[in-house]
Amino acid sequence: MRWILPVALLLCGLGAFAQASQPWFTPVQGFVAPQAGEHPRLFFRKADVPQLRERAATPAGKAMIARLKVQLGGGEAMPTAFSDATTYDKPSSVPLPVGAYGLWHGMGFGMLYQLTGEQKYADLGKQCVQKTFDGVRDPDNRYAWLNPGVSCARGRCSPPWRWPMICATTAGTSRFA
């Protein structure tokens, strides 16, 4: 009697498998495989950049870029306000304005680099990621681990960054604080 349920499940599974007319995976329509050496972007790929730049030139795109720059503390230099919190349970002792350094600044500057092609934004993104590696906390002091946003910033700021050097110098520093 105990074998009835397992046998029934096995037979149902075999029946479903036998009726499949194609493999369990299906190709994604319109997908283009990455080119050799193309960094696998998380949100867009190299071929998408021209269209993103066109959209950024529209009134709505310009408004989004202006808002991004506000969130980046002006968007033309490193933010000047940083949290001085050292643990998740004690907030910063200084008031943090909009644009204070946050863990996602590297990603924001990386997006500006992709939209403009200006090296200064890739450099600012790299500096922000270094702040993350250094343990500077987000304005929401619960977040200060050394890795969030780094992959996204790396994907946006490539190829100007020399990642083997950065990864070698930060190996083993990942931690939750």
Side-chain angles (χ1 to χ4, degrees), residues 84-110:
D84 65 354
T86 56
T87 61
Y88 73 91
D89 58 344
K90 293 186 176 66
S92 180
S93 65
V94 295
L96 296 172
V98 171
Y101 170 81
L103 297 180
W104 297 99
H105 272 63
M107 188 170 158
F109 282 119

Side-chain angles (χ1 to χ4, degrees), residues 38 41 43-57 110-117 155-156 158-159:
E38 179 181 8
R41 307 262 188 267
F43 300 108
F44 58 86
R45 302 205 357 232
K46 192 173 187 175
D48 301 324
V49 173
Q51 185 179 18
L52 287 171
R53 288 179 177 172
E54 286 176 18
R55 289 181 176 182
M111 187 66 181
L112 290 174
Y113 166 72
Q114 288 296 327
L115 293 174
T116 66
R156 292 221 169 77
S158 290

